[in-house]
Amino acid sequence: MTVNREGFNQSQPVPVPRTKISGIWRLFSLPMLFFLSIPIIAIFLRISPAHLVENLRQPQVLQAVGLSLVTTMISTLIIILAGTPLAFSHSRGQYRLSRVVDTLIDLPLVLPPAVAGVALLIAFGRQGILGRYLADFGMQIAFTPLAVIIVQVFVAAPFYIKSASLAFANIDQELEHSAALDGANSPQIFRYLTVPLSWSALLGGSVMSWARALGEFGATIIFAGNFPGRTQTMPLAIYIGFEIDLDIALTLSVILILLSFLALFVAKFILNRDWMSG
Amino acid sequence: MRVVFSGCKMFLFFSLILGTACGANADMAREESSKKQQLTIYAAASLIEAFNELGETFENSHPNIDVVISFAGSQQIAQQLSQGAPGDLFASANEIQMKNVINSDRVKSSAVKVFIHNQLELIVPGDNPGKITDFEDITKSGLKVILADESVPVGAYTQQMLDRANQQADLDRDFKSKVISNVVSYEENVRSVLTKIILGEADAGIVYMSDAFGIPETDLRMLAIPGDINVSASYFIAPLVDSPQEGLAKEFISLVLSPAGQEILSNHGFVRIDDRK
């Protein structure tokens, strides 16, 4: 059920009557389900809860978790603040470059992380086309937490922007017109009409972006480097830990799986079928 | 804008492509010359250029032999060999991986020989933004230094070297901690240290001498690390016990250890076994 917070009458999805499917479909769906869940189960079986709690106290683990949480919060906030105007303007009207913009927004989703990392290094690195001017002002980006945030914004923004722009586009523009006729100005319409109507998609998109940022690895290790407490996020600590201390890698993997599962679950709950499973 | 792929970067790029293409070439060569006898060698990735040259030299003196070399990280090769990959020879970049292969009974420990050494080298970008002219300069505060992570062999050697530096009377007592406080990143492989220094993202890095070898000075400058603190990384070679042509495998090892073979390796930045202090 869609929870309607602001009292606007959102169109409820028409419930499709479920047809009963034969048990044979269920039976044949088991192998894939088993395959998808076995690696997750394996990780949880490999490490005992007592061990897990003990490893949680390791400074390397705490640093990685802390850095990941702080950087992903900031990058998600940036994505929302800077992504919303883009999503809104993109959702309104077909302008000439609309296809190009749409593709640009999609691009980070399909780029290999290594490409994103190299591209960001060439752009914002010390010798990069922008980075060299920033360096003149004494601003160094590569190898700092800022680099981690930049990577996360780059790879994760599309999730929020796409979700938001889809929701904005689905709003009945008649509503906005009548609100305007009643004397509401543009910021008011956005605040009291557009945002409440697309609330679930905005929140769901933010959670998806956050989860993607949390899991970012390839571009981070290339652009931000690897330094414990500064740029070593959870995925990096897992990768490095795999070669030195498997326990640390396993502990962080468990935390990451739990957080991702929670995020996806919450996102699905918020979106309530109207976006994820279309 | 500076052209991103200057000569050296092109070189790196192509050597990467050549490196990955080697396996395919070897397979094609195998089919073309199926009548020739084959010598199959597994060699550490850092040996690519040098071993290709050694392979050609060997083929020139053995017209009926086709040398097939498979390059990969030593730990990958060790794993393949433990799984039973057929072949004649293994050249490892460190002792641990050779030991792993001995433990899986593919190599006799008595047959293992050290055939070359590698050393650490300080590298700085071609334009030397940190104005580093001497090894001791890497302690200057405010520099950006990139090292390999300790999980990578070269990273472990680097830590050893810094420990030794601390004990040197003529060097700063806090040498290691000063260097460590300059570190901005611990990279997960040695080539990425090299690339980031060539790109000028940091002021200095530490890699194997052979990695930095042959790169033009406009892109990369090398500064020697004093011999009394430098760490020597030994490379190991041995015939596989189940090699169908052990005689040939031994002949190849002799070539590697011969003055001519050592000359080829030292031309690629390695240190001859008889040159070591």
Side-chain angles (χ1 to χ4, degrees):
Chain A
M1 287 296 292
T2 309
V3 180
N4 209 317
R5 285 158 192 265
E6 308 281 325
F8 281 94
N9 203 359
Q10 198 168 353
S11 58
Q12 300 285 331
V14 182
V16 181
R18 289 200 171 195
T19 45
K20 269 215 154 209
I21 61 164
S22 75
I24 201 93
W25 280 106
R26 294 254 153 83
L27 190 69
F28 280 116
S29 69
L30 286 180
M32 188 46 116
L33 213 56
F34 178 74
F35 171 72
L36 291 177
S37 49
I38 197 70
I40 311 292
I41 295 167
I43 284 230
F44 282 87
L45 290 181
R46 185 70 168 69
I47 187 160
S48 70
H51 221 78
L52 190 75
V53 174
E54 190 186 313
N55 279 326
L56 278 177
R57 296 207 198 97
Q58 298 246 22
Q60 219 190 327
V61 172
L62 287 177
Q63 276 180 334
V65 174
L67 184 75
S68 272
L69 290 180
V70 171
T71 52
T72 51
M73 301 269 184
I74 298 173
S75 57
T76 309
L77 204 67
I78 294 174
I79 289 170
I80 294 171
L81 290 177
T84 306
L86 174 60
F88 189 70
S89 62
H90 185 58
S91 69
R92 293 300 140 99
Q94 289 285 314
Y95 45 101
R96 202 190 307 173
L97 290 174
S98 132
R99 281 260 160 85
V100 178
V101 171
D102 199 53
T103 310
L104 268 178
I105 295 171
D106 281 343
L107 204 55
L109 293 176
V110 296
L111 276 185
V115 174
V118 172
L120 287 167
L121 196 64
I122 303 296
F124 295 104
R126 192 157 73 165
Q127 304 286 334
I129 56 170
L130 282 176
R132 73 179 60 176
Y133 301 110
L134 294 173
D136 288 345
F137 294 106
M139 198 172 162
Q140 292 268 344
I141 294 173
F143 310 118
T144 66
L146 183 58
V148 176
I149 293 169
I150 289 178
V151 171
Q152 290 170 349
V153 170
F154 186 78
V155 300
F159 289 94
Y160 174 78
I161 297 173
K162 286 191 75 67
S163 172
S165 127
L166 216 64
F168 293 152
N170 279 339
I171 291 172
D172 190 351
Q173 298 211 13
E174 287 294 311
L175 278 174
E176 288 176 354
H177 289 316
S178 44
L181 282 176
D182 288 343
N185 62 22
S186 168
Q188 280 175 328
I189 294 175
F190 189 76
R191 164 73 184 84
Y192 294 106
L193 195 98
T194 316
V195 169
L197 281 180
S198 35
W199 180 250
S200 65
L202 297 185
L203 205 58
S206 317
V207 175
M208 291 296 291
S209 276
W210 176 74
R212 173 66 184 91
L214 192 67
E216 176 17 69
F217 167 72
T220 310
I221 204 161
I222 290 179
F223 179 48
N226 168 55
F227 195 96
R230 211 183 292 162
T231 57
Q232 192 184 77
T233 55
M234 279 200 269
L236 267 67
I238 291 171
Y239 183 77
I240 300 285
F242 181 72
E243 288 173 358
I244 305 176
D245 189 342
L246 188 61
D247 274 355
I248 288 185
L250 284 171
T251 305
L252 286 167
S253 299
V254 167
I255 298 173
L256 208 59
I257 290 173
L258 288 176
L259 285 174
S260 306
F261 189 87
L262 199 72
L264 289 175
F265 197 75
V266 167
K268 275 169 208 283
F269 185 76
I270 296 169
L271 290 172
N272 194 23
R273 298 194 193 125
D274 55 32
W275 181 72
M276 293 293 297
S277 51
Chain B
M1 195 185 128
R2 204 175 106 193
V3 180
V4 179
F5 280 102
S6 64
C8 156
K9 282 150 211 161
M10 274 311 224
F11 164 78
L12 274 182
F13 187 66
F14 281 121
S15 64
L16 204 74
I17 292 173
L18 284 177
T20 41
C22 269
N25 281 342
D27 282 345
M28 279 189 279
R30 186 183 305 202
E31 282 183 13
E32 274 171 23
S33 53
S34 52
K35 281 170 197 159
K36 283 189 185 177
Q37 210 180 340
Q38 275 179 19
L39 183 69
T40 306
I41 300 171
Y42 292 89
S46 46
L47 295 166
I48 290 179
E49 294 89 356
F51 262 50
N52 276 336
E53 202 175 327
L54 282 166
E56 277 170 32
T57 311
F58 193 77
E59 280 175 347
N60 288 342
S61 57
H62 298 74
N64 292 320
I65 305 297
D66 194 14
V67 177
V68 180
I69 313 178
S70 167
F71 295 103
S74 299
Q75 74 281 1
Q76 273 174 297
I77 299 175
Q79 218 152 32
Q80 291 169 4
L81 290 176
S82 308
Q83 307 282 338
D88 303 300
L89 264 179
F90 174 37
S92 169
N94 67 16
E95 198 173 4
I96 300 167
Q97 299 311 332
M98 186 56 94
K99 278 192 175 150
N100 286 342
V101 177
I102 292 172
N103 289 339
S104 59
D105 294 326
R106 295 296 305 278
V107 158
K108 261 188 279 182
S109 61
S110 57
V112 177
K113 285 186 174 122
V114 172
F115 68 95
I116 204 77
H117 301 287
N118 216 341
Q119 281 193 334
L120 301 177
E121 187 112 299
L122 183 68
I123 53 169
V124 301
D127 55 358
N128 197 359
K131 306 204 169 28
I132 297 164
T133 54
D134 198 278
F135 173 66
E136 290 167 50
D137 289 347
I138 53 167
T139 56
K140 283 196 296 191
S141 73
L143 283 185
K144 289 183 186 301
V145 175
I146 306 182
L147 302 180
D149 191 77
E150 252 183 290
S151 61
V152 187
V154 66
Y157 288 129
T158 303
Q159 296 294 326
Q160 273 180 39
M161 182 272 290
L162 292 174
D163 284 332
R164 285 191 195 178
N166 258 5
Q167 288 155 8
Q168 290 290 309
D170 54 335
L171 288 178
D172 199 319
R173 288 228 142 215
D174 301 323
F175 193 89
K176 183 176 180 179
S177 61
K178 282 186 179 171
V179 174
I180 296 296
S181 68
N182 281 341
V183 174
V184 292
S185 183
Y186 293 99
E187 297 293 321
E188 99 286 17
N189 77 60
V190 65
R191 290 282 169 164
S192 113
V193 178
L194 185 72
T195 308
K196 286 183 182 176
I197 297 298
I198 292 173
L199 284 174
E201 289 302 329
D203 304 310
I206 292 173
V207 295
Y208 287 129
M209 207 154 108
S210 66
D211 287 313
F213 213 72
I215 296 172
E217 214 173 77
T218 47
D219 284 315
L220 192 76
R221 286 192 217 178
M222 292 185 265
L223 296 164
I225 293 172
D228 41 2
I229 60 166
N230 206 333
V231 176
S232 177
S234 301
Y235 283 57
F236 296 80
I237 196 165
L240 299 178
V241 283
D242 42 15
S243 158
Q245 42 212 357
E246 215 188 332
L248 269 183
K250 283 183 175 159
E251 273 181 56
F252 187 87
I253 295 178
S254 311
L255 167 69
V256 171
L257 296 170
S258 73
Q262 293 285 303
E263 176 73 27
I264 290 173
L265 283 156
S266 81
N267 286 343
H268 289 281
F270 292 92
V271 182
R272 298 166 200 250
I273 37 178
D274 46 10
D275 279 359
R276 199 164 63 124
K277 282 171 211 164

